[in-house]
Amino acid sequence: MKQLFAKIHLWLSIPVGLVVTAICLSGAVLVFENEITRALHSELYYVEVPVGAQPLVPSQLVARITEQMPDSLHLTSLQFSGRRDESRMVAFRETGRRKLSVNPYTGYVNGWVESSTFFSTVRKLHRWLLDPPESKGGMSVEKIIVGGSTLCLVLILISGLIIWFPRNRKALPYRLKVVSSKGCRRFFHDCHVSLGFYSTLLLLVMALTGLTWSFGWYRTAIYALFGGGHQKIDVQASFLQKKDSGNRSGSKRSGQETADREIKEMRPGMDGPEFDYAVWDEVFPQLAAHYPGYKTIELTQTDAQIVRKSAIRRIDRVAIDPASVGGLAEITHYEDTPRQQRLRSWFYAFHTGSWGGIWTKLLYFIAAFIGATLPLTGYYLWWKRNFCRKTKR
């Protein structure tokens, strides 16, 4: 039986080995993208907190931003961090994903926060071998190659784990350690066998979750397996009722109608009534009090998105109604969103290693780096076994 799995392991590894190396190495680089970006551009993300100073209220901050930015830009959202030493992030309709960093205490514009060209290139390598599809979510040859290689990696890891199991207990210690004093061949053999065993579980998790971005049929099947079929939001609770009585069974129809009306009447940057940013002055303190442990609160003209402090990204959405008391209408809790949407957050966290904080990220980085070396050490051992002997003869 082991001979069969050895052949599967070998003949799947030879054609996809270099692709697996590229995927794992680029994945290892992306693990700490956020931390590296913030460290390199700390002036855009962090500010000095003046002694005894309080952050500007939203309307004052918007006024300061408007003074410094051209009239052609239309502000669409303002993001608040739960940390006092972090900048506010501002989005405009005309700037796409680029955000403006602003000092929350002075309103001074720090600069534009843009995605790094280096990390964008690495992400393209990781997902599409540098050639992304023409449309978002579309298919391409390179995307299929990455997905197919990842699927092969799952079979390679499982077959490798079966091959790894020793025949007796005496051989077990030799499968668990790396010896560097008995020549290159023994060293690379131990790196392939021992380090491969230690990283197998995490590599399997990365591969199985990563496949959801490659194949629609796999995504549908895995979501269905975890109970995340096609669902609709069927619960929208009243924020004010929940704050007063804890009752989360508010009217579904009225909540949806209110949200739809607000979107039509006050779409950010579109024609319609001029938005009074003083509404945010009332809304933000209520949200901050209701979510004392929030990570970020992003305000738009129609709703607020609250990201809780959690390893898994959990977002509550609150509709903003300037005509209501306090400016708040209905709330959609993370727990009330479709299970499929929640599974997407879970899969992303388990694919990137963010589910356990910095320590799981470090483990994922090490495992991904080892995964990048496994095809290379495997090629070396295969070459030594099959071609060096023939040369000696």
Side-chain angles (χ1 to χ4, degrees), residues 127-129 131-134 137-146:
R127 297 189 62 183
W128 309 295
L129 297 179
D131 190 12
E134 294 182 358
M139 294 300 294
S140 66
V141 175
E142 291 75 12
K143 185 176 180 179
I144 294 174
I145 291 175
V146 170

Side-chain angles (χ1 to χ4, degrees), residues 185-201:
R185 185 172 180 178
R186 174 62 186 275
F187 174 74
F188 285 121
H189 174 271
D190 289 349
C191 287
H192 190 80
V193 174
S194 302
L195 298 183
F197 169 74
Y198 291 127
S199 61
T200 292
L201 179 60

